[in-house]
Amino acid sequence: MQNNNASADRIREKKKLFLAREQRIIDAAVELFLEESIDRITVSKIALRAAIGKGTVYKHFLTKNEILIRIILDYERNITQSLTKGIKRAEEGDSGAAAKSYFEARLENPKLDRLIQQLEDRLLESGDVADQVEKLHKLRRSNENALSGLITKLIDRGVLEDVPAYFHYLACWALAQGAVELCFNKTWNDRTDTEQLMEFITNIGVTMGNRGQYHPDDPKSKKDK
Amino acid sequence: MQNNNASADRIREKKKLFLAREQRIIDAAVELFLEESIDRITVSKIALRAAIGKGTVYKHFLTKNEILIRIILDYERNITQSLTKGIKRAEEGDSGAAAKSYFEARLENPKLDRLIQQLEDRLLESGDVADQVEKLHKLRRSNENALSGLITKLIDRGVLEDVPAYFHYLACWALAQGAVELCFNKTWNDRTDTEQLMEFITNIGVTMGNRGQYHPDDPKSKKDK
Amino acid sequence: MQNNNASADRIREKKKLFLAREQRIIDAAVELFLEESIDRITVSKIALRAAIGKGTVYKHFLTKNEILIRIILDYERNITQSLTKGIKRAEEGDSGAAAKSYFEARLENPKLDRLIQQLEDRLLESGDVADQVEKLHKLRRSNENALSGLITKLIDRGVLEDVPAYFHYLACWALAQGAVELCFNKTWNDRTDTEQLMEFITNIGVTMGNRGQYHPDDPKSKKDK
Amino acid sequence: MQNNNASADRIREKKKLFLAREQRIIDAAVELFLEESIDRITVSKIALRAAIGKGTVYKHFLTKNEILIRIILDYERNITQSLTKGIKRAEEGDSGAAAKSYFEARLENPKLDRLIQQLEDRLLESGDVADQVEKLHKLRRSNENALSGLITKLIDRGVLEDVPAYFHYLACWALAQGAVELCFNKTWNDRTDTEQLMEFITNIGVTMGNRGQYHPDDPKSKKDK
DNA sequence: TATGAATGAGGCTTCATTCAT
DNA sequence: AATGAATGAAGCCTCATTCAT
């Protein structure tokens, strides 16, 4: 009995170590990706940074791409959490809270957010890890569902423009995506007041799609304002 | 005399052929990039598609990256043209025309626009062709200057929010950038009504930053609406 | 404890194997270089001859040139050993021993010696591996220093002509260099008595620079003999 | 008749231009080889420097190697001339004149002499242009013959050691070869008094092989001195 | 006749992945 | 179980030579 306990403990202990090491790999990879050009990060370098053998990496991840998708998923889960909180606050009355939370989460560490986008580009093009990618899409769609209800209510209450709910959500996503890109585009990123600019954009994100701004097929819409 | 003319003609003819072939290389490259993962397009494949020898590519471009930057510059010049026309119309009275032109140009062929962004990412990370990249940035900054005057006037006339002119421009850039990304992000691009969505976003782009939507440091700003 | 020992043993064993393989690469390269034109030896061929994968070569040497410099250094170290012994014998009384040892070492395998010279030419022109080349020069200069003392003594004893010590050393180097070249110059190397010729030259090397043969600025010097 | 003359003139004129251009190619090649690493000189660069089209080079030389062998032959012919004069003077009484002329010719422009050696290395290894190489060897052997008579006389007169005549010639060649190498070997060529060193070596070349310095198979020979 | 654009074989190097220890 | 040496496919680029104009 005691033996069983002891061995069970040992197994649990090992599992914990194993998971910790897995996290070390992920962390090492993210660190390196943030430091240097993505193309120049090799599995060797990741192993070195994680202070384990190259072969060991392959005990945790079947391919290099599995590391990438894992990084992306971790990040997306983080975004989801923030968004969930925002939705909750929005349902409690603060109509812009969801969008705000979303923007803040994505702009909190724009460099990382951009990295994720780039990893995603590489990954989707490569074609493998299709099942993992599907997971990512499911996660995002679940966010969408959570939002849809909220947005529909806001449309009903006349706060938001009456277009399909996901128009609002995706416009928001697009602006956030672009804002992040903006932060790191070499053409623009020598501005000194990035912070205020991001605030400006966040505000646009929060108010865009509000009623009174979009009047399809109505040539007089502009006069209405 | 006749001889001179004849030989001059021949030389001109040759130059034309040479340039035509250069364009064939570019076209072949773009085609392939649009068809398949960027990483998987090799100089060999480009040459094959352009129906020329691999070595010939290097008569036209010093390195593979020079092909990429050339594609990007060609595209950016195209955008610039559209924008210039839009600015002109805006100055003739249609205040939203510049933003509209810009969005339309970038969303006309979103797949290509997205390709350009991705090529740029790759290129900047690679580090070489720095001088060509500088050209690109100059082109973009010249666009910015052209816009600044217009935006300033619109701010003075009270149409746009009173923030630094480039806030408006960059917000616009960011939304366009994100919209393009949206079109091809695998998570979202199975929608059927992408066109209307893009119209929705374009409209946001045209109206965003208009007065009455952004009230920094004013907690009551939302009530004002 | 036993485990530790066992694993330490295994590690040592591995290191030995690794070094053995490195030597195999070197040997294969030298073999090939001696068999065929230097230009035609590729990394692929070396790997093939060493019976390893092409990529493995790069685990041992950063570039192809590193293989070359390594061959050169190995050879130069060998020469240094012979020379050191010769200097020792010279200091024990046999005044010509140093020069003799040097000539014998370089003429022992003239084909190899010539290969080394050619590799060096290629290497210096290529420009990289500058630091390794510096090592080579240091090695040679240390030989020079070892000789300088000896030569100075011989000058003091009136055995050698009173010119800067390195005149003697470098004249010796030059003759040896030329003798090697001679062995393999296609114009001359169809002689049948190369061995006696080399003996003749070695003797010149041993006696050249002896007093009574060089009288700079002294028009009567020839009469003195 | 006049027509014939005129056309003959034109043909002669053309031939002259053709030969002049051929020389331009040779000169351009030598210039470039002296300026930069041999490997880095391409046919393109040579044509550019000679201010003609690349294709035109191939009207004059069947392959790149033919340019090399031509440079070598031109140089060797030059050496031959100097040597011939030296032999003449030697036969008029100045016994060391031949060796002296030879050394002076080869050390007059050591950089060029070394280039020739290097080109020869490249060429012989490459295997083609065998017939041209044969020409080179013939030229050298004819020099040898011219010398042999002289040397035999000097041996008979007791000036030179009684060994096969070509021993003397080849020892001389070897020392000259090595001296040139010495001038440009990176390990040694930071000396400041190269000129005196070369004078020292030339003197060795002139006196080496003189009677009284070489006593094969005679253990007492050293005491004789 | 002179040209130079076109060619493509072939070189060096990188790196994800495997597997014996 | 962890390791890291070994692998070889695949990429980019060079350049001697050809040939149509």
Side-chain angles (χ1 to χ4, degrees):
Chain A
M1 191 63 182
Q2 221 172 9
N3 252 339
N4 271 348
N5 273 345
S7 97
D9 277 0
R10 234 179 296 135
I11 289 174
R12 226 172 295 134
E13 187 65 23
K14 271 195 176 176
K15 263 191 188 166
K16 225 170 85 183
L17 278 173
F18 191 82
L19 286 177
R21 192 163 48 203
E22 196 155 306
Q23 194 55 46
R24 271 229 309 287
I25 296 172
I26 296 292
D27 292 345
V30 171
E31 269 176 49
L32 288 167
F33 284 140
L34 289 175
E35 283 171 18
E36 214 181 328
S37 164
I38 295 182
D39 311 305
R40 280 199 283 270
I41 302 309
T42 67
V43 174
S44 270
K45 282 185 186 172
I46 294 173
L48 195 69
R49 176 69 66 105
I52 59 173
K54 203 196 318 186
T56 310
V57 173
Y58 285 84
K59 294 272 188 265
H60 293 266
F61 302 94
L62 254 66
T63 68
K64 191 189 183 188
N65 276 344
E66 299 239 355
I67 303 177
L68 305 202
I69 186 71
R70 170 67 177 274
I71 292 174
I72 297 173
L73 276 170
D74 281 2
Y75 185 74
E76 198 68 27
R77 284 196 199 99
N78 187 39
I79 296 292
T80 300
Q81 277 189 358
S82 297
L83 182 58
T84 307
K85 283 180 201 160
I87 292 177
K88 211 178 157 198
R89 279 214 308 286
E91 283 169 342
E92 289 163 7
D94 179 0
S95 70
K100 199 144 193 273
S101 290
Y102 183 68
F103 270 84
E104 279 169 0
R106 294 202 52 190
L107 293 172
E108 186 192 338
N109 186 350
K111 199 168 182 187
L112 178 57
D113 190 274
R114 181 138 200 267
L115 171 63
I116 302 300
Q117 296 167 34
Q118 289 177 344
L119 293 181
E120 203 180 325
D121 278 357
R122 302 292 210 276
L123 254 191
L124 296 184
E125 292 202 332
S126 87
D128 56 319
V129 290
D131 49 339
Q132 300 273 55
V133 168
E134 189 42 39
K135 244 190 207 167
L136 174 65
H137 292 174
K138 267 183 191 150
L139 190 57
R140 284 188 182 149
R141 288 211 198 86
S142 83
N143 284 345
E144 196 190 355
N145 289 336
L147 274 173
S148 281
L150 170 62
I151 292 171
T152 306
K153 273 185 230 159
L154 292 174
I155 292 173
D156 290 347
R157 278 169 44 200
V159 175
L160 291 179
E161 205 51 64
D162 184 14
V163 291
Y166 66 85
F167 275 31
H168 292 284
Y169 175 60
L170 294 184
C172 205
W173 183 92
L175 186 58
Q177 194 82 357
V180 167
E181 204 95 18
L182 182 57
C183 287
F184 293 95
N185 188 291
K186 287 280 195 318
T187 314
W188 315 122
N189 72 356
D190 51 357
R191 309 294 183 184
T192 49
D193 45 4
T194 305
E195 214 163 304
Q196 285 177 48
L197 175 57
M198 287 302 129
E199 199 196 336
F200 177 68
I201 291 178
T202 300
N203 254 287
I204 290 173
V206 172
T207 58
M208 78 186 176
N210 281 5
R211 251 190 95 76
Q213 292 172 28
Y214 178 62
H215 306 265
D217 308 319
D218 177 2
K220 291 168 214 143
S221 65
K222 274 163 196 163
K223 296 178 193 166
D224 293 342
K225 267 191 279 187
Chain B
M1 192 64 180
Q2 220 171 11
N3 253 339
N4 271 348
N5 275 345
S7 98
D9 277 1
R10 228 179 303 134
I11 289 173
R12 225 171 297 133
E13 186 65 25
K14 267 194 176 180
K15 265 191 187 164
K16 226 169 82 182
L17 277 172
F18 190 81
L19 287 177
R21 196 187 292 259
E22 194 156 308
Q23 195 55 48
R24 271 237 304 290
I25 296 173
I26 295 290
D27 292 346
V30 171
E31 268 176 51
L32 287 167
F33 284 140
L34 290 174
E35 284 171 18
E36 212 181 329
S37 164
I38 294 181
D39 310 307
R40 277 203 286 272
I41 301 309
T42 69
V43 174
S44 271
K45 281 185 187 172
I46 294 173
L48 199 67
R49 174 69 63 104
I52 59 173
K54 204 192 330 179
T56 308
V57 173
Y58 287 89
K59 286 263 189 266
H60 294 267
F61 303 94
L62 251 61
T63 67
K64 191 190 181 190
N65 276 343
E66 298 238 0
I67 303 178
L68 305 203
I69 187 72
R70 167 69 175 274
I71 293 175
I72 297 173
L73 276 171
D74 281 3
Y75 186 74
E76 198 69 28
R77 285 197 199 98
N78 189 38
I79 296 291
T80 299
Q81 277 190 358
S82 298
L83 183 58
T84 306
K85 283 180 201 159
I87 291 177
K88 211 177 158 199
R89 279 212 309 283
E91 283 169 343
E92 289 163 4
D94 179 0
S95 71
K100 197 144 195 275
S101 289
Y102 183 68
F103 270 84
E104 279 168 0
R106 294 203 51 190
L107 293 172
E108 186 192 339
N109 185 350
K111 199 168 181 184
L112 178 57
D113 191 276
R114 179 139 198 268
L115 171 62
I116 301 300
Q117 296 166 35
Q118 289 178 345
L119 293 180
E120 201 181 327
D121 277 356
R122 300 295 209 277
L123 219 48
L124 295 183
E125 291 205 333
S126 88
D128 56 315
V129 291
D131 49 337
Q132 301 271 58
V133 168
E134 189 43 38
K135 242 190 207 167
L136 174 64
H137 292 175
K138 266 183 191 150
L139 190 58
R140 284 191 184 146
R141 288 211 199 87
S142 82
N143 285 345
E144 195 191 355
N145 289 336
L147 273 173
S148 280
L150 170 62
I151 292 172
T152 305
K153 271 186 233 161
L154 293 175
I155 291 173
D156 290 347
R157 278 168 44 200
V159 175
L160 292 178
E161 207 48 68
D162 184 14
V163 292
Y166 66 85
F167 275 32
H168 292 284
Y169 176 60
L170 294 183
C172 204
W173 182 91
L175 185 58
Q177 194 82 356
V180 166
E181 203 94 16
L182 182 57
C183 287
F184 291 94
N185 189 291
K186 288 283 195 319
T187 315
W188 315 120
N189 71 356
D190 50 357
R191 309 293 183 185
T192 48
D193 45 4
T194 304
E195 214 162 305
Q196 285 177 48
L197 175 57
M198 287 302 128
E199 199 196 336
F200 177 67
I201 290 179
T202 300
N203 256 287
I204 288 173
V206 172
T207 58
M208 79 185 173
N210 282 5
R211 250 187 98 75
Q213 291 172 28
Y214 178 62
H215 307 264
D217 309 319
D218 176 3
K220 291 167 214 144
S221 66
K222 273 159 194 163
K223 295 179 192 165
D224 293 341
K225 267 191 276 185
Chain C
M1 192 66 181
Q2 221 172 9
N3 253 340
N4 272 348
N5 275 343
S7 98
D9 278 1
R10 229 180 304 136
I11 288 173
R12 225 171 295 135
E13 186 66 24
K14 266 195 175 178
K15 266 190 185 164
K16 226 170 81 182
L17 277 172
F18 190 81
L19 287 178
R21 196 187 294 256
E22 194 156 309
Q23 195 55 48
R24 271 235 307 289
I25 296 173
I26 296 289
D27 294 344
V30 171
E31 270 176 49
L32 288 167
F33 284 140
L34 290 173
E35 284 171 18
E36 212 181 329
S37 163
I38 295 181
D39 309 308
R40 277 203 285 271
I41 302 309
T42 68
V43 174
S44 270
K45 282 184 187 173
I46 294 173
L48 199 66
R49 174 69 64 105
I52 58 172
K54 204 188 332 175
T56 308
V57 174
Y58 286 88
K59 286 263 189 264
H60 294 266
F61 303 94
L62 252 61
T63 67
K64 190 190 182 189
N65 276 344
E66 298 238 358
I67 303 179
L68 305 202
I69 186 73
R70 167 69 175 274
I71 292 175
I72 296 174
L73 276 171
D74 281 3
Y75 186 74
E76 197 69 27
R77 284 196 199 100
N78 188 39
I79 296 291
T80 299
Q81 277 190 359
S82 297
L83 183 58
T84 306
K85 284 180 199 159
I87 292 177
K88 213 178 156 198
R89 279 212 309 284
E91 283 169 344
E92 290 163 4
D94 179 1
S95 71
K100 198 143 194 276
S101 289
Y102 183 67
F103 270 84
E104 280 169 359
R106 295 203 50 190
L107 293 171
E108 188 192 335
N109 186 349
K111 199 167 181 185
L112 178 58
D113 191 276
R114 179 139 199 269
L115 171 63
I116 303 299
Q117 297 166 34
Q118 289 177 346
L119 293 181
E120 201 180 326
D121 277 358
R122 302 292 209 281
L123 218 49
L124 294 183
E125 290 204 333
S126 88
D128 55 317
V129 290
D131 49 338
Q132 300 272 56
V133 168
E134 189 43 38
K135 244 189 205 166
L136 174 64
H137 292 174
K138 267 183 191 152
L139 191 57
R140 284 188 183 150
R141 286 209 200 90
S142 82
N143 285 345
E144 195 191 356
N145 289 335
L147 274 173
S148 281
L150 171 62
I151 292 172
T152 305
K153 272 185 230 159
L154 293 174
I155 291 174
D156 289 346
R157 279 168 45 199
V159 175
L160 292 178
E161 208 48 69
D162 184 15
V163 292
Y166 67 85
F167 274 34
H168 293 284
Y169 176 60
L170 293 184
C172 205
W173 184 91
L175 185 58
Q177 195 81 357
V180 166
E181 204 95 16
L182 183 56
C183 288
F184 291 95
N185 188 292
K186 289 284 196 315
T187 315
W188 316 120
N189 70 357
D190 51 358
R191 309 292 182 183
T192 49
D193 44 6
T194 304
E195 215 163 303
Q196 284 177 47
L197 174 57
M198 287 302 128
E199 200 196 335
F200 176 68
I201 290 179
T202 300
N203 256 285
I204 289 173
V206 171
T207 58
M208 78 184 177
N210 282 5
R211 253 190 93 76
Q213 292 174 27
Y214 178 61
H215 307 263
D217 307 320
D218 177 2
K220 291 166 213 144
S221 65
K222 273 161 194 162
K223 295 176 191 167
D224 292 342
K225 266 191 280 189
Chain D
M1 191 65 179
Q2 222 174 8
N3 252 340
N4 271 349
N5 273 346
S7 99
D9 278 359
R10 235 179 296 134
I11 288 174
R12 226 173 295 133
E13 186 65 25
K14 269 196 177 177
K15 264 191 187 166
K16 225 170 80 182
L17 279 173
F18 191 81
L19 286 177
R21 192 164 48 201
E22 194 155 307
Q23 194 55 47
R24 270 230 310 287
I25 296 173
I26 296 292
D27 293 345
V30 171
E31 269 176 48
L32 288 167
F33 283 139
L34 289 174
E35 283 171 19
E36 212 182 330
S37 165
I38 296 183
D39 313 304
R40 281 198 282 270
I41 302 307
T42 66
V43 175
S44 270
K45 282 186 188 174
I46 295 173
L48 195 68
R49 176 70 65 105
I52 59 173
K54 200 192 328 183
T56 310
V57 173
Y58 285 86
K59 292 272 185 266
H60 292 267
F61 303 93
L62 252 65
T63 68
K64 191 190 181 188
N65 276 343
E66 299 238 359
I67 303 179
L68 305 202
I69 187 71
R70 169 69 177 274
I71 291 174
I72 297 174
L73 276 170
D74 281 2
Y75 186 74
E76 199 67 27
R77 285 197 198 99
N78 188 39
I79 296 292
T80 299
Q81 277 190 359
S82 297
L83 183 58
T84 306
K85 283 180 200 159
I87 291 177
K88 211 177 158 200
R89 278 212 311 283
E91 283 168 343
E92 289 162 6
D94 179 1
S95 71
K100 199 144 194 277
S101 289
Y102 183 67
F103 270 84
E104 280 170 0
R106 295 203 49 193
L107 293 172
E108 187 192 336
N109 186 350
K111 201 168 179 184
L112 178 57
D113 191 274
R114 178 137 202 269
L115 171 62
I116 301 300
Q117 296 167 34
Q118 289 177 345
L119 294 181
E120 204 180 325
D121 278 356
R122 301 290 211 277
L123 253 191
L124 296 183
E125 293 202 331
S126 88
D128 56 320
V129 290
D131 50 337
Q132 300 273 54
V133 169
E134 190 42 39
K135 244 191 208 165
L136 174 65
H137 292 172
K138 267 184 190 150
L139 190 57
R140 283 189 183 150
R141 287 211 199 86
S142 82
N143 285 344
E144 196 189 355
N145 289 335
L147 273 173
S148 280
L150 171 62
I151 292 172
T152 305
K153 272 185 229 158
L154 292 174
I155 291 174
D156 290 347
R157 277 168 46 200
V159 175
L160 291 179
E161 206 50 66
D162 183 15
V163 291
Y166 68 85
F167 275 32
H168 291 284
Y169 176 60
L170 294 185
C172 205
W173 183 90
L175 186 58
Q177 195 83 357
V180 166
E181 204 95 16
L182 183 56
C183 287
F184 292 97
N185 189 291
K186 286 281 195 320
T187 314
W188 315 120
N189 71 356
D190 51 358
R191 308 293 182 184
T192 49
D193 45 5
T194 305
E195 216 163 303
Q196 285 178 46
L197 176 57
M198 288 301 128
E199 198 196 335
F200 177 69
I201 291 180
T202 300
N203 254 286
I204 290 172
V206 171
T207 59
M208 77 185 175
N210 282 6
R211 251 188 95 74
Q213 290 173 28
Y214 178 61
H215 308 263
D217 308 319
D218 178 2
K220 292 169 214 141
S221 64
K222 274 161 193 162
K223 295 179 193 167
D224 292 342
K225 267 190 279 186

